[in-house]
Amino acid sequence: MSYSRFEAMELLGKRLTDDALVILSLGGAVDEWYNAAPHMREASLFQQQLGCVSGEAFGLAVGLPHRQAEGFAADASELDTDGGLLFNLGILATLGNEQPENLFIVVWDNEQYQSIGGPATHTAKGRVDLAAIARGAGVEKAFTAHTLEEFDAHCAAGLAATEPYIVVAKTDGILQPGIKRKHSDGREDKYIFVRHVEKIEGITIMGPSEHN
């Protein structure tokens, strides 16, 4: 059973304030998150490359231990993809050993590399279980959500957890029609995100640009 990624994003967005920080991958998920949770646009770092998202979210969670990080969120959140996580399964062992208290990871598993036309990922045959791999690596709170109701329940639990929490969301491969395209590029996204972190933390991370 699969469900709409956009609808799942809307549910997650309703649970987040812009005190949370979100890292997410490339592809159709970028435009969908931009529209599903407009209040999180400045708090989200968009378009990270395959294999990088979970590692970046872990760094954010460790660097700001008082804030929720998502990799795709609580204080730090992360929105990864099945293809992206498969590029760097080693990050699961790091999470299992280090046990960050403020990291919630959502893996959008539509069983395809959607951004390059839809070739199947390893999860498509039904034998590869990303949540089971995560548990084997030491992340005890790792689950698969087959319905929107299960997904929403895991979001509530994951955002309240004091240990790394992963939910693999078994979504369909249908892009949400009629949504607004995100118009900023990767460089602009970086500055928007960093300036947001500076504002909520009351710190300076990047000084003014130097001109030659």
Side-chain angles (χ1 to χ4, degrees), residues 165-187:
Y165 196 110
I166 296 175
V167 56
V168 179
K170 297 295 285 188
T171 61
D172 60 33
I174 302 172
L175 290 172
Q176 181 69 14
I179 59 176
K180 181 187 298 185
R181 294 294 304 273
K182 186 182 74 63
H183 63 275
S184 56
D185 61 19
R187 179 177 296 181

Side-chain angles (χ1 to χ4, degrees), residues 68-69 74 76 95-96 98-105 138-143 157-166:
Q68 185 72 33
L95 298 179
E98 300 302 326
Q99 293 291 304
E101 297 181 358
N102 59 328
L103 179 58
F104 175 45
I105 294 176
V139 182
E140 294 182 1
K141 299 295 185 180
F143 308 94
L159 292 170
T162 56
E163 59 188 303
Y165 196 110
I166 296 175

Side-chain angles (χ1 to χ4, degrees), residues 95-180:
L95 298 179
N97 278 336
E98 300 302 326
Q99 293 291 304
E101 297 181 358
N102 59 328
L103 179 58
F104 175 45
I105 294 176
V106 175
V107 182
W108 305 119
D109 184 5
N110 61 8
E111 302 181 355
Q112 61 180 278
Y113 291 103
Q114 191 176 51
S115 63
I116 57 171
T121 66
H122 287 305
T123 63
K125 291 187 177 181
R127 299 180 65 182
V128 176
D129 185 334
L130 293 175
I133 293 171
R135 291 193 297 271
V139 182
E140 294 182 1
K141 299 295 185 180
F143 308 94
T144 301
H146 294 281
T147 67
L148 276 172
E149 292 76 16
E150 289 177 355
F151 175 78
D152 193 38
H154 282 302
C155 287
L159 292 170
T162 56
E163 59 188 303
Y165 196 110
I166 296 175
V167 56
V168 179
K170 297 295 285 188
T171 61
D172 60 33
I174 302 172
L175 290 172
Q176 181 69 14
I179 59 176
K180 181 187 298 185

Side-chain angles (χ1 to χ4, degrees), residues 62-115:
V62 171
L64 299 173
H66 56 287
R67 195 166 295 282
Q68 185 72 33
E70 296 186 26
F72 183 57
D75 290 339
S77 299
E78 168 208 336
L79 303 178
D80 211 338
T81 61
D82 51 331
L85 185 58
L86 286 164
F87 264 63
N88 184 15
L89 289 174
I91 187 60
L92 296 175
T94 300
L95 298 179
N97 278 336
E98 300 302 326
Q99 293 291 304
E101 297 181 358
N102 59 328
L103 179 58
F104 175 45
I105 294 176
V106 175
V107 182
W108 305 119
D109 184 5
N110 61 8
E111 302 181 355
Q112 61 180 278
Y113 291 103
Q114 191 176 51
S115 63

Side-chain angles (χ1 to χ4, degrees), residues 194-210:
V194 168
R195 297 308 182 206
H196 176 76
V197 175
E198 289 180 330
K199 180 176 67 176
I200 62 177
E201 290 293 314
I203 59 176
T204 299
I205 299 173
M206 298 172 61
S209 301
E210 296 182 2

